[in-house]
Each structure stands twice: as C-alpha cells, then as structure tokens.
Amino acid sequence: MTASLNRIRAFLADREPPTPCLVVDTDLVAERAAAVSAAFPDAVIRYAVKANPVPEVLDAVLSAGAGFDVASTGEIALCLSRGAKAAELAYGNTIKKPADIAFASARGVREFTTDSAGDLANIAEYAPGSLVSVRLLPDGPDSVTPFGHKFGCEPPVAADLLRQAADSGLRPGIAFHVGSQQPDPAAWEIGIATAAKVAADAGVALARLNIGGGFATEHREPVPSLTGYAAVIHAALDRNWPGPRPELLLEPGRVIVGDAGLIRTEVVLVTTRAAADERRWVYLDVGRYNGMAECENEAVAYRLEPVGVKGPEGPVVLAGPTCDGDDVLYQRTPCALPVSLKAGDLLDIPGTGAYTASYSSIAFNGIEPLRTYCVGRFADAG
Ligand SMILES: *Cc1c(COP(=O)(O)O)cnc(C)c1O
C-alpha cells in the first residue's frame, strides 16, 4: 500500500495533472486480484467491471489470472477487446434483453445469472446449454450500499427456477450478492446455508455456487481482511457441503481496485453559511456527479488528506462544485480540516479506485467526467 501511494504521489508531483483526477496504481490492482485468488484457491474469480472499467485496470486483472463479471454488451465488448476469452466472462446482470443474451452467446459467453422465469426462458432460447445461476434474495445484514429488493428471489421460487433450468437443458447454479462494502462475514454464512437448502429442496446438482462480491475496503473504520472473510466462508462451505461441492465463483470489484486509487481535488471556496454554525463550508472541484457518487446518504466516509496544509483543524461541511442542492458530500459525518485551508489548496482522497470514475456524469453543469490516470506496470498499455 505504501509503495503504491508513493507511486501515485510521485506521478502527481511530477505531472501536476489538472484537478479533479483519479490516479490508479495498476500494480496494486494486479496484487489484489492475486490476493483474492490466494485467499480462495479453489474459486473462479470474476472481477466486477462496473467498479472501475478503465482498460489498464482490466489488463492488470487479466494478468493475475482472473476473468470478468460483466453486466452489459458494452462490458462484454470491452473485456474481449482487452484479450479476455469468452470463457472468462460471466454475465452477472439478471436484467437483460433477449438481444443482450444473443450478443453474449454469439461471442461465446456461457455463464449467466438469472432471477426470473422470463429471463431464464430467454437464456434457454438464446444461449442453450449454458451455466445459469439463480440469484437468491439475501436475508442477511445490510451492507453499506444495500441492494434492497431489486434482485433475487425467495427460496421456493429459486428452487422452481433451478428445476426449470435443469429441465430446459441448462446447467443450474446458485448466486447471491451480499451488497457492496459488506463488513459482516456472517452475510455469506447466511447466503451459503440458504443456497445449500435451496439446492437440496430443488433436488438438482449444482454446477456453480456464486457468492458474489461485497468485500469491504478500509476508510475510517477497520474492515475484515480477505483471509478473515475467507476463513468464515470456507467454514460455512464445510458445514453446509460436507460432500462434493459446486465450483465456487467470486465477483469482487471494490476489494480489487478500491485501495489502488486516489482522487486529487482542489478547494474552490471556503466560507460560512450561518452565524449559529461554527462549521465552515468547504467546496471542492469534485462532487457527487464527478466521482463521489458513494457519498449519497453519506454511505462511504472517505478519508481527507490536505496536501501540504498543516496546523490546527476545525469542523467542516464538505460539498461539491455543481448547482445541485444534493451535491453535498458530508454534513452529518464529522469532517475536520485545517483552519488555514483556503481556495486553491489541494486535498487527496485515498481509497477511491472503485465506484468513482465509473459513476461520473458526462456533462452535468458542463463539468467533465472524472479523468483517470494510471501508474504501475500496466499504465502504458491503454
Ligand atoms: C456490483 C456487484 C458486484 C461487485 O461488488 P463489490 O462490492 O464491488 O465487490 C458483484 N456482484 C454483483 C451481482 C454486483 O452487482
């Protein structure tokens, strides 16, 4: 991590790119992808492309022997263009058109996730013989960014879909995703136990157990290590599948790329807004529409590191640069910055490699999407 931050800071010092920008260390991406494989040696690893789809990140993931969890025809085309093989792609989005399935199938993709009879019938028709995992509705603790009820089906429905999959000549599996930035490994224990029960109820042999992504990265609070998650997950697998077990698949996004990125931003304005509120309002040139989307509901509390500004600190409210009233990053989450902080000063926001650039709008208020620069071994491959 330190070596990685040093590479990023050296790049920023040397190049002084315009702010705001994200700098990603591709060496750390490759290292983290390899660490996931090492923690789960029997599992197939499919990096969730939506976390950060820049080509250099995909190259680093591929070099570590992992493939990709894709959610659209665009992501399929992108991964294939970087040299991924179709067999290394899993189409994990349960919401797709028949044409999307046909596109994937024509390019050789043979693994899908589903959670409805309609989508399952489309997969049987347009990608016959494929492996299809039925996504369960998780029943565990909420993550920091929970998925609510948008995806997944309850156990009896899942058992029906598994039988339908087998009857239509598909290879059935089970998938679940515990929500992103999930600090509680018990969420996987519940998912694994439910999956074992659903498979037994359905009376089908599973070709796949897809335990999703969701592994958390550290910001202000400590989170479990990859080996910590793995110990809980392997114990749950041993308990629930004492006999032969379906091949495991993981779809990590954040834990592979989150720590590898750092956003540099410039202070646009420092002011006060109410005589009764001692907090200064600090406006940055990065906000919720150009990189800080996960500040919605203040879900992720990033660390803030002033660049070269020291001295006593005082409380602040942090906001983005646009004309939107929701473009406030933190007003409940305590934030402190030096009292000497002024317009033109720079701040670094580490741990921002995931779900930042990929969430940027293209021109809200004429502000361009967050620009990404890469450093490390894969940086010049783009
Ligand atoms: C977004 C997503 C992932 C990746 O989640 P992370 O928290 O980034 O690991 C994995 N699986 C599915 C189905 C997803 O939607």
Side-chain angles (χ1 to χ4, degrees):
M1 273 268 284
T2 315
S4 179
L5 278 174
N6 287 344
R7 270 191 294 276
I8 290 173
R9 293 229 161 84
F11 171 89
L12 286 166
D14 181 46
R15 294 274 297 272
E16 298 185 338
T19 63
C21 65
L22 168 67
V23 186
V24 175
D25 176 31
T26 58
D27 286 353
L28 189 58
V29 172
E31 208 177 286
R32 283 296 152 85
V36 175
S37 292
F40 296 91
D42 299 328
V44 169
I45 311 300
R46 299 287 177 253
Y47 167 70
V49 173
K50 74 175 189 284
N52 189 323
V54 304
E56 295 89 337
V57 165
L58 305 187
D59 294 349
V61 166
L62 262 181
S63 81
F68 301 102
D69 168 40
V70 292
S72 65
T73 56
E75 286 187 352
I76 292 171
L78 174 64
C79 292
L80 294 176
S81 79
R82 302 315 298 178
K85 297 185 187 64
E88 295 169 322
L89 306 186
Y91 199 141
N93 194 347
T94 61
I95 312 301
K96 49 197 173 297
K97 300 172 183 174
D100 301 333
I101 300 166
F103 178 99
S105 183
R107 281 152 190 81
V109 177
R110 286 287 169 269
E111 176 151 14
F112 298 84
T113 304
T114 195
D115 58 7
S116 66
D119 183 57
L120 180 60
N122 289 337
I123 295 168
E125 181 170 354
Y126 295 99
S130 291
L131 198 167
V132 58
S133 295
V134 175
R135 181 163 170 179
L136 300 174
L137 183 68
D139 188 22
D142 265 354
S143 71
V144 167
T145 58
F147 280 67
H149 285 67
K150 180 171 175 185
F151 303 107
C153 37
E154 293 186 333
V157 180
D160 280 346
L161 290 179
L162 284 174
R163 282 188 292 262
Q164 274 171 43
D167 290 347
S168 14
L170 296 162
R171 300 169 60 215
I174 291 183
F176 63 84
H177 179 52
V178 298
S180 203
Q181 187 72 3
Q182 173 58 266
D184 187 353
W188 281 268
E189 289 185 306
I190 294 165
I192 288 165
T194 310
K197 183 164 183 317
V198 169
D201 290 351
V204 301
L206 294 187
R208 171 71 81 216
L209 178 61
N210 173 345
I211 64 168
F215 308 100
T217 57
E218 184 168 327
H219 296 286
R220 299 188 192 182
E221 304 297 328
V223 296
S225 65
L226 272 171
T227 48
Y229 282 114
V232 173
I233 287 168
H234 286 131
L237 289 168
D238 290 342
R239 265 199 313 280
N240 290 282
W241 261 286
R245 153 182 331 162
E247 189 181 37
L248 203 62
L249 184 145
L250 272 69
E251 302 169 335
R254 184 187 304 276
V255 81
I256 288 180
V257 74
D259 285 341
L262 177 143
I263 287 176
R264 175 156 286 186
T265 173
E266 181 181 322
V267 175
V268 180
L269 178 72
V270 182
T271 188
T272 50
R273 287 293 181 217
D277 191 349
E278 58 153 349
R279 296 181 301 174
R280 291 160 297 153
W281 280 70
V282 173
Y283 297 84
L284 305 176
D285 63 3
V286 72
R288 279 183 45 196
Y289 302 99
N290 61 342
M292 307 298 280
E294 289 203 310
C295 289
E296 182 177 1
N297 298 325
E298 310 195 18
V300 175
Y302 295 110
R303 281 169 289 138
L304 307 167
E305 299 177 353
V307 180
V309 187
K310 296 211 163 43
E313 297 191 334
V316 301
V317 174
L318 211 65
T322 68
C323 300
D324 187 306
D326 285 331
D327 189 10
V328 175
L329 305 180
Y330 302 118
Q331 48 193 336
R332 298 187 309 274
T333 306
C335 287
L337 287 171
V339 293
S340 64
L341 192 79
K342 58 185 189 316
D345 286 341
L346 300 173
L347 290 181
D348 284 345
I349 313 176
T352 42
Y355 303 113
T356 48
S358 60
Y359 265 136
S360 291
S361 72
I362 61 161
F364 187 53
N365 272 170
I367 293 171
E368 68 173 58
L370 186 64
R371 212 177 276 216
T372 302
Y373 300 91
C374 289
V375 300
R377 257 181 3 270
F378 302 88
D380 295 319

